[in-house]
């Protein structure tokens, strides 16, 4: 009986040690995987920064208007149509910090868009592409707010989420004509599909507010394809390395989930 107990103890101890070694090995392998992924991200970041430096000479002749910081908002939220207000039209809680931030974001985008339009003095229609528009807190406001009397603008609100676009349309239909705002369901990776909605004789400005993950990069690439100025406030930048494969015929894209990373906490 004693020999059996000793044997059982030895076998149990051996199995426990073996299991512990296996867990340690798995932990080391997982850490090694994480280190490799981290190193790849660093390398990609360095490559991106190097490419920007190589392209910087092309920006030397670019005329960028100098903008001062406005002392007050050009938008009187109490006087405009409630549907243009991200708080009242967007159904955000009155007086909430989120609602006030949304107003401030719309004010900033409207200020810069106005400056670009005044600097360019376009003679025809300027299409403002709201890339990743969501339910339209930015796009509806930009389409309905006033600009210089001689400037004619139209907003093309693009998003892959059909439900968000339906909410945007329900909000905008009562106050904005199709000549002022149009929705389009498409993934931002499908550049040619989006550009097919814009007449060649129209000017373009691309705006994007909190387009999630790689969508912020897609918005910038869309502006580059249009050779257009863009105004961007990014979101979830740590997911910008998500690999996306565009399709020429489908509005959606395929995703390589292995290339997706945790969102930024910023």
């Amino acid at each position: 009986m004693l020999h059996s107990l000793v044997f059982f103890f030895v076998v149990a101890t051996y199995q426990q040690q073996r299991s512990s070694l296996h867990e340690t090995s798995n932990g080391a392998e997982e850490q090694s995987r994480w280190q490799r992924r981290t190193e790849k991200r660093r390398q990609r970041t360095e490559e991106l920064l190097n490419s920007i430096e190589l392209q910087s000479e092309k920006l030397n002749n670019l005329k960028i208007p100098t903008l001062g910081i406005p002392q007050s908002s050009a938008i009187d939220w109490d006087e405009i149509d409630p549907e243009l207000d991200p708080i009242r039209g967007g159904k955000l809680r009155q007086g909430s910090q989120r609602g006030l931030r949304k107003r401030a974001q719309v004010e900033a985008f409207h200020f810069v868009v106005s400056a670009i339009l005044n600097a360019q003095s376009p003679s025809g229609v300027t299409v403002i592409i709201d890339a990743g528009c969501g339910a339209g807190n930015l796009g509806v406001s930009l389409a309905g707010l006033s600009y210089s009397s001689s400037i004619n603008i139209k907003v093309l609100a693009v998003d892959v989420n059909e439900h968000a676009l339906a909410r945007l349309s329900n909000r905008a239909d009562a106050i904005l004509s199709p000549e002022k705002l149009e929705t389009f369901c498409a993934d931002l990776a499908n550049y040619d599909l989006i550009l097919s909605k814009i007449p060649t004789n129209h000017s373009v400005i691309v705006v994007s507010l909190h387009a999630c993950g790689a969508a912020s990069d897609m918005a910038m690439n869309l502006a580059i394809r249009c050779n257009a100025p863009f105004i961007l406030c990014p979101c979830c930048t740590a997911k910008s390395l998500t690999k996306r494969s565009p399709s020429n015929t489908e509005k959606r894209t395929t995703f390589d989930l292995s290339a997706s990373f945790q969102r930024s906490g910023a």
Side-chain angles (χ1 to χ4, degrees):
M1 181 66 178
L2 180 61
H3 289 292
S4 297
L5 289 174
V6 171
F7 176 76
F8 175 77
F9 175 76
V10 170
V11 170
T13 302
Y14 170 74
Q15 289 177 339
Q16 185 179 8
Q17 290 175 342
R18 186 175 180 182
S19 175
S20 177
L21 287 171
H22 181 68
E23 291 176 0
T24 302
S25 175
N26 284 345
E29 183 179 352
E30 183 62 31
Q31 184 179 13
S32 177
R33 245 189 245 133
W34 178 84
Q35 289 172 338
R36 289 198 296 271
R37 288 198 300 266
T38 302
E39 183 58 32
K40 283 183 179 179
R41 289 199 292 271
R42 288 195 184 118
Q43 289 176 358
R44 289 174 182 174
T45 302
E46 287 296 327
E47 290 171 1
L48 177 61
L49 292 174
N50 289 336
S51 68
I52 291 173
E53 289 178 2
L54 290 174
Q55 297 295 323
S56 62
E57 291 184 2
K58 296 181 179 180
L59 302 177
N60 289 338
N61 297 324
L62 185 64
K63 294 182 179 179
I64 302 175
T66 301
L67 298 179
I69 299 175
Q71 298 302 313
S72 60
S73 172
I75 304 170
D76 188 341
W77 296 108
D78 294 327
E79 295 296 326
I80 65 172
D81 191 296
E83 292 298 338
L84 300 179
D85 183 0
I87 292 181
R88 291 173 293 169
K91 304 297 188 291
L92 301 179
R93 187 162 55 86
Q94 189 73 31
S96 67
Q97 288 299 313
R98 185 186 177 205
L100 295 175
R101 282 199 304 270
K102 285 296 177 187
R103 277 184 174 178
Q105 289 159 1
V106 170
E107 290 170 359
F109 273 78
H110 178 257
F111 176 70
V112 180
V113 167
S114 298
I116 293 173
L117 290 171
N118 291 333
Q120 291 182 336
S121 299
S123 56
V125 177
T126 296
V127 177
I128 301 174
I129 303 176
D130 186 1
C133 62
N137 278 329
L138 178 63
V140 172
S141 298
L142 291 181
L145 291 171
S146 60
Y147 301 88
S148 299
S149 58
S150 59
I151 292 175
N152 186 12
I153 67 102
K154 174 181 179 178
V155 170
L156 178 64
V158 181
D159 204 287
V160 75
N161 188 326
E162 294 175 350
H163 298 292
L165 290 176
R167 288 175 58 196
L168 188 156
S169 295
N170 289 337
R171 176 179 167 187
D173 284 348
I175 59 169
L176 296 171
S177 68
E179 287 74 30
K180 294 298 291 182
L181 186 143
E182 179 184 1
T183 61
F184 186 48
C185 190
D187 192 285
L188 294 181
N190 288 329
Y191 309 117
D192 293 336
L193 187 62
I194 296 170
L195 294 181
S196 69
K197 299 290 291 182
I198 304 172
T200 55
N201 62 337
H202 286 13
S203 302
V204 174
I205 298 174
V206 177
V207 300
S208 185
L209 175 61
H210 295 169
C212 192
S216 289
D217 298 289
M218 300 296 170
M220 286 189 285
N221 285 335
L222 179 62
I224 292 170
R225 291 289 186 96
C226 300
N227 194 27
F230 63 89
I231 311 162
L232 179 71
C233 179
C235 180
C236 313
T237 53
K239 292 186 73 177
S240 62
L241 297 178
T242 302
K243 182 179 179 181
R244 306 170 71 153
S245 303
S247 167
N248 291 327
T249 56
E250 298 295 331
K251 67 185 177 186
R252 294 185 181 274
T253 57
T254 58
F255 299 86
D256 177 7
L257 297 181
S258 64
S260 182
F261 301 98
Q262 186 177 2
R263 291 182 180 185
S264 170

